[in-house]
Amino acid sequence: MARTEQQSNDKFAGRWFWRYAAPAAFYPLAGKIEKIGWVLAVVLAAIGLYMGFFVAPTDATQGEVYRVIFIHVPAAWMTMVIYLAMAFWAGTGLVLGTRLSFMMSHALAPTGAIMAVVALWTGSLWGRPTWGTYWVWDARITSTLILFFLYVGYMALSAAFDDKKKGDRASALIALVGAINVPIIYFSVKWWTTLHQGSSVRPGSSSMATTMLWAMLIMTFAFWAYCVAAAMHRLRTQIIEREAGAAWLDGATK
Amino acid sequence: MYCGYCVGLGGLQGARGFVNPCSSLRLEALAAERGGKAVFTDVSVNVEARTLLRVLGPNGAGKTTLLRILAGLGAPSAGSVQWRAPDDSERSPNEAAMFAGHANAMNEALTVAENLSYAAALAGIDCTPMNLRRALTQLGVEKLINRRFGSLSQGQRKRASLARLLLRAQAGERAWLLDEPFVALDTDTQAQLAALIGEELAAGAIVVLTSHQAVAINAPKMQELML
Amino acid sequence: MYCGYCVGLGGLQGARGFVNPCSSLRLEALAAERGGKAVFTDVSVNVEARTLLRVLGPNGAGKTTLLRILAGLGAPSAGSVQWRAPDDSERSPNEAAMFAGHANAMNEALTVAENLSYAAALAGIDCTPMNLRRALTQLGVEKLINRRFGSLSQGQRKRASLARLLLRAQAGERAWLLDEPFVALDTDTQAQLAALIGEELAAGAIVVLTSHQAVAINAPKMQELML
Amino acid sequence: MSLRAATGAVFRREMQLFARRKSDWANPIVFFLIVCSLFPFAVGSESEKLKLIGIGVIFVGALLASMLSLPRLFEEDARDGSLELMLASSEPLAVLILARITALSLGLGAALTVATPVFALFYALPFDVAGMLALSVALAVPTLLLIGAIAAALLVSARGGAILTAVLVLPLTIPTLIFGAGAALRVLNGQSPVAELALQGAFLLLALALCPLAAAAALKISTD
Amino acid sequence: MSLRAATGAVFRREMQLFARRKSDWANPIVFFLIVCSLFPFAVGSESEKLKLIGIGVIFVGALLASMLSLPRLFEEDARDGSLELMLASSEPLAVLILARITALSLGLGAALTVATPVFALFYALPFDVAGMLALSVALAVPTLLLIGAIAAALLVSARGGAILTAVLVLPLTIPTLIFGAGAALRVLNGQSPVAELALQGAFLLLALALCPLAAAAALKISTD
Amino acid sequence: MNWESWSAFWDMGGRGFFVWGSYGALLIAVVAELLSLRSARKAAIRSLHDDHETL
Ligand code: HEM
Ligand SMILES: Nc1ncnc2c1ncn2[C@@H]1O[C@H](COP(=O)(O)OP(=O)(O)OP(=O)(O)O)[C@@H](O)[C@H]1O
Ligand SMILES: Nc1ncnc2c1ncn2[C@@H]1O[C@H](COP(=O)(O)OP(=O)(O)OP(=O)(O)O)[C@@H](O)[C@H]1O
Ligand SMILES: [Mg+2]
Ligand SMILES: [Mg+2]
């Protein structure tokens, strides 16, 4: 059984983590993080896109179409990173019983799912000119699709409970079960693609110019900043919904 | 129907290997939540053997919630529940008590005997055919032992499912947690159940009861808990 | 709150196009079955406007079954039910009466207003926003009009769903069939509902009521039916 | 006039529910997507094979997704008591049921139709086949929901769940399946799909005429 | 001793239910049969085509049939209150759940395993492939039920039904699907299926070790 | 500078559909997410103040 927040608070009283584990304390901090996130996202995206389109040279083998990479790769990475973060907070919530942890994983899930859609969409559009087809049953691609299913399952499950607290714990459990399965699925799909190799074209890796690499890295940081800001915004909305009636909220939302 | 273990021989090993047939119950600063909202807080009470504890309160006061916590079916948000044997060793709720809620806990496709012996096995009771027949006879439904539960009338169902409480090897051995047990019973059966509760109390059991109906029960000791 | 149509002007066309706002009810040699077994037989009764009909009987006597037949939700196995306007023309149960059973008949994902206007449309009532607001105000829950039904507490739910009865264009226009309406209501709301029933009766309606609780209702005329 | 009000109310409520509870249409789509992506794992990823089974898989997936949405028609209403409002109404029950099915068909049908061509990409199907498949699905979903409503109405008060619904409904949908998948197969083979489409339309009209009446009778039986 | 008695009781009860209610295993088989026979209508009946898709269709059909049987695990018990007997027991919940899943796996697994080679003949698959497919199904059904038990336990107190169960469970079964269908494909191609079978066995063991614990935690969450 | 003219920029060496299709989808996704974030916040604050009235 999970410890209750009260018990945990007593035990760990005074540590910074527990101070911010209280929604009331984290609400203003989340606001600050959110603001910084939006600013960074806009600035970094501006720099990254400028570099990507105007500084980075045309790719020798692919031509201009490779410029999709500046959003495709960051989106694909965020899909995985956010899933891990979501499962981490879900686990924290189950073990420590802190409300904020569950809210954190709920706040991350929709952004993660959107990143999965962006990775799949941009990858498909990129695949057509490079591999001659929109879709290939490649291991990396297929795992991204399954990761998308796991996100949707998590969100659908938490929406299926009228009792929020139960929904929190139930969906946290399914997030953890999914997290254990991700590597199993990845290696199974990899095995499967080698089993069925032949017709499908496999993604080749091209050596990249350093400006391309830089543009991609900067865009990755822009995606990070965006995802953090969006998650913090969603987190604050949830705090408002769930702490309705708490006195401190009146001042905070006026 | 007198429970020797309880009054005089606490801690002595019984003839068939039973230790400490009776219990006492202590709630300390108990609080519970449902759906994130506090239902009750700071409930403390001490119940000895041979006591009837009536839990009172309006709809939604948390009576069912409390009984489920006592049965080990829910966790309190704060405080503690302790079932203790007379020698003061702690017991698990499942060893100490039997819970009967709104639902019958009987599968309609199985016979009465099959349902009851399943319930006994899960409660850790060694249910002999004799025990089973005796329990059904006490409720006047021994004829139904091999009938499919789904083929019984509402009243017969209720009686057959109450037989679960009487499966224990020895009267008074376990506490009874009864949530609105008189609902849907006609007056005869109500009186019969009240008598059974009285006997169990006399034999040394604790009975915790919620009921919106005022049914007279002949209890050695009585306590009330208002939620 | 006096229903002129009913007493003096039976059959006259009302100002807003309503004919015959009140009804009378006649049961003749009514019998019903559930699951192949007779529940009651040979029930005959005659109920005029402004009458409270209390249906009495133990659990399983068939009170709910009877009310559902009156509402047109079930068919009798023998006999007949006739709802009649004062000019003696026959009316369908849906035009003549509104039924409120154990369930709230409100969808949890929709708002109170959406639920109520759906119910009104199916009952053939032309539900204006004003009607709706007035009904909710009478029950003291006008603030909840745009709240999702699922977000209400049990008591708020019960009140909001009772507002369905008050949506009729004119008091006394329809008979009310109430199956255990006081269950789960606190004493204040019980009194409030009893007063509303009294007003509806005074305005000319028939009210048919089953209740295991004894709540005082101020009725112009009262009949009892024992099942 | 009152009939119009009642039907309008039933239809509007269904649409409000769709708008309010995203999972009602999102889950069937995701289910559809998952079923479609299971087959390549079992059959192999060679695009020739995939092209062969693609039409069948997508069509069966859409059938299963709409079949599993059937409980939505009456189950929740039966639980919360609002089904009685519909049963007690003096308007003809069949028309009210038809309004409900129409709303569900529009919501679910639109979602599945939009998703179909996207999934066709998984199976390396050409654009014109994908389009025809979407049209077939758009015609098939209402037919299936109409037939399925009868089973859903019968099962309101029975134990058995999704699997019994499937056992009752799926055999009845075989004609729709044959001609629905057939139309897309024709296009894949460069032939004209007109005959198949006409037959699908005929099935839909027949279902429109008969199924609401049967579902109304079934609902009366199972709630009596 | 008491643990053995309790587990035995859970197992025995499940078996009695299977014996008493034929529809519990008959319906999934019929569903399986229907799904398997839908595809030839949609794909065409040339035996070359059928052979290509047969393994995949049969395997996915078995997955869907066992997934739709999942509600049987806890739903009815939650409704009639007997789930509480299991929850209140002092024996470890995970072991009791394992006993239940074992019984269901034996009942449903046996039925599906016996049906598989018959359906394989529909798809013109050779005997050795049919046999290997039956073995694969026999290994896959328990794995699926173990994984699915987690979702079934979570959904005891949630709205959502069969379709949400599918959305939660199916993605997690992809590894089982890959190696289960893979083993039969190997035999079809005249290769050795040992590696695939070994991996399937490994998944089953892993699921045996982890899933009952997760399902017990899930059940506690949803009945709290 | 990579591009001779704006039209060359939009053309992306003949692959404009794929490149702008990708960036456009990202834009739509981001805008949709931002809108839904904002409407969810508004709804939360509205129901917060509704609650206060009825308490
Ligand atoms: C885990 C998810 C993914 C990651 C980490 C990822 C990462 C990458 C990286 C680093 C590249 C550039 C390096 C290279 O050329 O190999 C790339 C290229 C590509 N990706 Fe992804 N990707 C993911 C998912 C997807 C998906 C879902 C699709 C398609 C729907 C896709 C389609 C492509 C295509 C077409 C290319 C260009 C390949 C080429 O240059 O030949 N990727 N991806
Ligand atoms: N499953 C649940 N999820 C969320 N809240 C619940 C749940 N069950 C009960 N509650 C709430 O918990 C509170 C206590 O409920 P409980 O059933 O314990 O009351 P009770 O005293 O037994 O009432 P009654 O006299 O009606 O049986 C109520 O406010 C109720 O609304
Ligand atoms: N769905 C059903 N199928 C078969 N029999 C039923 C069904 N519902 C009720 N019955 C039976 O019909 C009889 C009358 O039931 P009804 O619900 O009308 O009683 P009631 O007088 O309303 O009782 P209560 O006071 O408990 O509300 C009972 O014997 C009951 O067992
Ligand atoms: Mg209670
Ligand atoms: Mg009744």
Side-chain angles (χ1 to χ4, degrees):
Chain A
M1 241 341 84
R3 237 172 306 166
T4 64
E5 193 164 338
Q6 188 55 50
Q7 288 163 335
S8 302
N9 275 346
D10 293 346
K11 188 157 173 207
F12 293 85
R15 299 209 192 153
W16 66 270
F17 179 82
W18 292 101
R19 183 143 35 87
Y20 284 115
F26 194 69
Y27 186 85
L29 180 60
K32 278 182 210 130
I33 299 175
E34 185 192 334
K35 275 205 198 83
I36 299 172
W38 292 133
V39 172
L40 274 182
V42 171
V43 172
L44 289 175
I47 300 173
L49 289 177
Y50 178 81
M51 285 182 69
F53 280 104
F54 298 102
V55 181
T58 306
D59 185 78
T61 47
Q62 292 205 14
E64 305 295 355
V65 76
Y66 90 94
R67 289 182 205 278
V68 173
I69 202 172
F70 303 122
I71 55 175
H72 168 75
V73 173
W77 285 345
M78 289 318 293
T79 310
M80 291 183 294
V81 170
I82 293 178
Y83 194 86
L84 290 180
M86 192 183 93
F88 169 79
W89 286 116
T92 311
L94 279 181
V95 174
L96 302 176
T98 38
R99 276 170 297 164
L100 195 64
S101 314
F102 293 121
M103 293 190 203
M104 202 81 105
S105 35
H106 290 313
L108 285 165
T111 303
I114 288 174
M115 287 300 134
V117 171
V118 170
L120 291 166
W121 183 274
T122 55
S124 298
L125 279 180
W126 195 359
R128 177 74 211 196
T130 45
W131 307 332
T133 169
Y134 286 101
W135 187 263
V136 165
W137 292 91
D138 163 73
R140 217 162 49 179
I141 293 175
T142 313
S143 322
T144 308
L145 180 67
I146 296 171
L147 211 50
F148 172 68
F149 295 155
L150 296 181
Y151 275 116
V152 174
Y154 171 86
M155 291 190 288
L157 185 65
S158 62
F161 284 86
D162 291 322
D163 180 342
K164 283 232 166 64
K165 232 181 145 184
K166 260 187 213 173
D168 282 350
R169 287 150 56 70
S171 51
L173 187 77
I174 215 72
L176 287 183
V177 171
I180 293 171
N181 270 281
V182 166
I184 298 177
I185 292 171
Y186 182 79
F187 287 109
S188 307
V189 174
K190 204 157 183 171
W191 170 293
W192 173 69
T193 41
T194 48
L195 179 69
H196 290 278
Q197 61 175 243
S199 64
S200 67
V201 199
R202 305 196 43 73
S205 50
S206 45
S207 61
M208 277 197 267
T210 43
T211 43
M212 288 181 195
L213 198 62
W214 272 109
M216 200 179 83
L217 284 178
I218 292 172
M219 283 305 285
T220 304
F221 287 121
F223 270 65
W224 267 90
Y226 170 83
C227 292
V228 168
M232 287 299 145
H233 188 100
R234 211 174 271 115
L235 183 73
R236 277 160 59 95
T237 305
Q238 280 188 61
I239 294 178
I240 294 172
E241 276 169 1
R242 298 206 182 181
E243 305 287 295
W248 67 269
L249 255 182
D250 270 348
T253 56
K254 281 277 154 62
Chain B
M1 280 283 177
Y2 183 78
C3 169
Y5 296 102
C6 202
V7 179
L9 310 169
L12 197 82
Q13 183 96 14
R16 288 172 56 200
F18 291 102
V19 198
N20 312 323
C22 311
S23 306
S24 69
L25 168 63
R26 173 172 307 152
L27 312 187
E28 262 169 41
L30 204 68
E33 295 185 345
R34 292 307 295 261
K37 267 188 281 190
V39 176
F40 55 77
T41 51
D42 205 24
V43 171
S44 298
V45 73
N46 227 319
V47 188
E48 295 301 317
R50 299 161 59 79
T51 307
L52 173 67
L53 176 66
R54 289 194 92 114
V55 184
L56 305 174
N59 289 122
K63 303 181 293 299
T64 301
T65 308
L66 176 67
L67 258 67
R68 290 177 56 90
I69 292 175
L70 297 187
L73 286 169
S77 59
S80 71
V81 174
Q82 289 175 347
W83 289 99
R84 289 193 181 278
D87 66 356
D88 225 42
S89 63
E90 200 159 339
R91 310 174 102 183
S92 80
N94 189 56
E95 284 160 14
M98 307 200 72
F99 173 72
H102 296 262
N104 285 323
M106 310 276 272
N107 188 297
E108 301 205 344
L110 300 179
T111 66
V112 172
E114 285 163 351
N115 270 307
L116 289 176
S117 59
Y118 173 69
L122 285 183
I125 292 172
D126 178 24
C127 168
T128 60
M130 207 190 58
N131 271 3
L132 207 151
R133 192 164 286 280
R134 183 173 43 70
L136 290 170
T137 310
Q138 273 185 278
L139 284 152
V141 285
E142 69 280 11
K143 290 259 173 64
L144 306 178
I145 187 164
N146 286 320
R147 284 271 294 278
R148 210 166 47 77
F149 189 72
S151 73
L152 306 183
S153 83
Q154 294 301 327
Q156 291 173 325
R157 282 174 194 221
K158 196 78 196 180
R159 284 174 186 237
S161 65
L162 283 172
R164 188 157 60 83
L165 297 172
L166 302 170
L167 292 177
R168 71 278 175 284
Q170 194 163 357
E173 183 183 302
R174 293 187 179 224
W176 287 359
L177 309 173
L178 308 177
D179 195 12
E180 304 282 348
F182 299 112
V183 159
L185 291 185
D186 57 35
T187 41
D188 281 4
T189 324
Q190 282 184 14
Q192 202 176 2
L193 176 59
L196 286 173
I197 294 175
E199 284 172 27
E200 199 73 6
L201 284 164
I206 290 175
V207 175
V208 185
L209 181 81
T210 76
S211 176
H212 291 294
Q213 280 158 284
V215 177
I217 295 171
N218 187 2
K221 286 186 262 172
M222 167 106 90
Q223 268 174 272
E224 292 200 346
L225 174 63
M226 188 77 199
L227 286 186
Chain C
M1 282 287 175
Y2 184 77
C3 171
Y5 296 102
C6 204
V7 178
L9 309 170
L12 198 81
Q13 184 92 16
R16 289 170 57 201
F18 291 102
V19 199
N20 311 325
C22 309
S23 305
S24 68
L25 168 64
R26 173 172 309 152
L27 312 188
E28 262 169 41
L30 203 67
E33 294 184 347
R34 289 308 293 264
K37 267 187 285 188
V39 177
F40 55 78
T41 51
D42 203 26
V43 171
S44 297
V45 71
N46 227 318
V47 189
E48 296 301 316
R50 299 160 58 78
T51 306
L52 173 67
L53 176 66
R54 288 196 93 115
V55 183
L56 305 173
N59 289 125
K63 302 182 295 297
T64 302
T65 309
L66 176 67
L67 257 68
R68 290 177 57 90
I69 291 175
L70 298 186
L73 286 169
S77 59
S80 72
V81 174
Q82 287 176 347
W83 289 100
R84 290 193 180 278
D87 67 355
D88 225 40
S89 65
E90 199 159 340
R91 310 175 100 185
S92 77
N94 188 55
E95 284 161 15
M98 307 199 72
F99 172 71
H102 296 262
N104 284 323
M106 310 277 272
N107 187 297
E108 301 207 342
L110 301 177
T111 66
V112 172
E114 285 163 351
N115 271 306
L116 289 175
S117 58
Y118 173 70
L122 285 184
I125 294 172
D126 177 25
C127 167
T128 62
M130 209 190 57
N131 272 3
L132 206 151
R133 192 165 285 282
R134 182 174 43 70
L136 289 170
T137 310
Q138 273 184 277
L139 285 152
V141 285
E142 69 279 14
K143 291 259 172 65
L144 305 180
I145 188 163
N146 286 320
R147 284 275 291 278
R148 209 166 49 78
F149 189 71
S151 74
L152 306 183
S153 81
Q154 294 302 326
Q156 291 173 326
R157 283 174 193 221
K158 196 77 197 182
R159 284 174 187 238
S161 64
L162 284 171
R164 189 157 60 84
L165 296 172
L166 301 169
L167 292 176
R168 70 278 177 284
Q170 196 163 357
E173 185 184 300
R174 293 189 179 225
W176 287 358
L177 309 174
L178 309 178
D179 194 12
E180 304 282 346
F182 299 112
V183 160
L185 291 184
D186 57 36
T187 42
D188 281 6
T189 324
Q190 284 186 13
Q192 204 177 0
L193 177 59
L196 287 173
I197 294 176
E199 285 173 25
E200 200 74 8
L201 283 164
I206 289 176
V207 175
V208 185
L209 181 80
T210 76
S211 175
H212 290 294
Q213 281 158 283
V215 178
I217 296 172
N218 188 1
K221 287 185 264 175
M222 168 105 90
Q223 269 174 269
E224 292 199 346
L225 173 61
M226 187 75 199
L227 287 187
Chain D
M1 149 54 213
S2 175
L3 176 60
R4 189 148 26 104
T7 357
V10 171
F11 184 84
R12 198 169 339 106
R13 174 167 178 274
E14 206 67 14
M15 285 301 184
Q16 284 165 344
L17 280 175
F18 256 108
R20 225 48 68 75
R21 281 202 307 234
K22 311 278 183 293
S23 58
D24 275 2
W25 48 267
N27 286 353
I29 303 299
V30 176
F31 171 82
F32 182 25
L33 178 58
I34 293 176
V35 169
C36 287
S37 54
L38 283 183
F39 281 89
F41 292 114
V43 171
S45 61
E46 299 85 8
S47 65
E48 274 320 297
K49 267 195 191 176
L50 288 180
K51 209 177 269 179
L52 199 64
I53 61 165
I55 293 172
V57 167
I58 292 175
F59 212 90
V60 173
L63 283 190
L64 288 176
S66 31
M67 200 205 59
L68 291 179
S69 309
L70 282 174
R72 196 184 171 293
L73 269 180
F74 306 116
E75 210 181 74
E76 188 182 14
D77 275 23
R79 219 172 327 115
D80 70 19
S82 29
L83 192 59
E84 288 178 351
L85 299 176
M86 222 160 94
L87 289 167
S89 173
S90 12
E91 312 309 330
L93 186 55
V95 179
L96 300 180
I97 291 179
L98 182 59
R100 269 204 114 132
I101 300 177
T102 310
L104 185 58
S105 300
L106 286 181
L108 188 67
L112 290 177
T113 306
V114 170
T116 297
V118 180
F119 299 167
L121 291 182
F122 284 176
Y123 288 91
L125 292 169
F127 274 118
D128 53 349
V129 178
M132 179 49 63
L133 200 52
L135 182 60
S136 277
V137 167
L139 285 171
V141 169
T143 316
L144 181 84
L145 291 176
L146 282 161
I147 298 173
I150 305 171
L154 282 175
L155 290 177
V156 156
S157 61
R159 195 166 36 72
I163 214 155
L164 186 51
T165 320
V167 168
L168 290 177
V169 174
L170 285 180
L172 300 177
T173 61
I174 286 177
T176 317
L177 177 64
I178 292 176
F179 296 107
L185 275 176
R186 289 268 189 210
V187 175
L188 189 65
N189 298 336
Q191 297 160 322
S192 157
V194 173
E196 276 83 0
L197 283 179
L199 276 164
Q200 262 201 294
F203 288 143
L204 179 54
L205 290 178
L206 194 69
L208 269 174
L210 296 181
C211 292
L213 292 170
L219 207 51
K220 285 210 176 108
I221 289 170
S222 66
T223 55
D224 187 23
Chain E
M1 148 57 211
S2 173
L3 176 58
R4 186 141 38 97
T7 354
V10 171
F11 184 85
R12 197 165 344 103
R13 174 168 179 270
E14 206 68 14
M15 285 303 183
Q16 285 164 344
L17 281 173
F18 256 109
R20 225 51 68 75
R21 281 201 309 233
K22 309 281 181 291
S23 61
D24 274 2
W25 49 267
N27 283 350
I29 304 298
V30 176
F31 173 83
F32 183 26
L33 174 61
I34 294 175
V35 168
C36 288
S37 53
L38 283 181
F39 279 89
F41 289 116
V43 170
S45 54
E46 300 87 19
S47 70
E48 271 321 296
K49 271 193 188 176
L50 287 181
K51 204 179 276 179
L52 279 180
I53 62 166
I55 293 172
V57 167
I58 292 175
F59 211 91
V60 172
L63 281 190
L64 289 175
S66 31
M67 202 205 58
L68 290 179
S69 309
L70 282 174
R72 195 183 172 295
L73 269 181
F74 306 117
E75 213 181 69
E76 188 183 14
D77 275 23
R79 222 175 322 115
D80 70 19
S82 31
L83 193 58
E84 286 176 354
L85 300 177
M86 222 160 93
L87 289 166
S89 173
S90 9
E91 311 310 329
L93 186 55
V95 179
L96 301 180
I97 292 178
L98 183 58
R100 268 202 117 134
I101 301 177
T102 310
L104 185 56
S105 299
L106 288 181
L108 189 66
L112 290 177
T113 306
V114 170
T116 297
V118 180
F119 298 166
L121 297 182
F122 285 179
Y123 284 91
L125 291 170
F127 274 116
D128 54 347
V129 178
M132 179 51 62
L133 199 52
L135 182 59
S136 276
V137 167
L139 283 171
V141 169
T143 316
L144 181 86
L145 291 177
L146 282 161
I147 298 174
I150 303 172
L154 287 176
L155 288 174
V156 158
S157 63
R159 199 159 28 65
I163 218 157
L164 185 51
T165 319
V167 167
L168 291 178
V169 174
L170 286 180
L172 303 180
T173 60
I174 287 176
T176 314
L177 177 62
I178 289 175
F179 296 108
L185 274 175
R186 289 275 191 206
V187 176
L188 189 64
N189 298 336
Q191 297 161 322
S192 156
V194 173
E196 277 82 1
L197 284 179
L199 277 163
Q200 261 200 296
F203 288 145
L204 179 53
L205 289 179
L206 194 68
L208 270 173
L210 296 180
C211 291
L213 290 170
L219 209 51
K220 286 213 175 106
I221 289 171
S222 65
T223 56
D224 187 24
Chain F
M1 189 54 55
N2 285 323
W3 317 100
E4 269 119 48
S5 64
W6 278 109
S7 63
F9 178 69
W10 295 121
D11 186 54
M12 279 287 151
R15 303 298 198 187
F17 171 75
F18 302 103
V19 175
W20 299 121
S22 298
Y23 280 83
L26 176 68
L27 187 70
I28 291 171
V30 167
V31 168
E33 186 174 22
L34 292 178
L35 288 179
S36 90
L37 283 177
R38 207 175 59 165
S39 74
R41 172 68 59 83
K42 275 191 181 150
I45 289 179
R46 202 181 322 117
S47 74
L48 183 70
H49 295 306
D50 279 0
D51 265 358
H52 278 262
E53 278 165 29
T54 53
L55 279 176

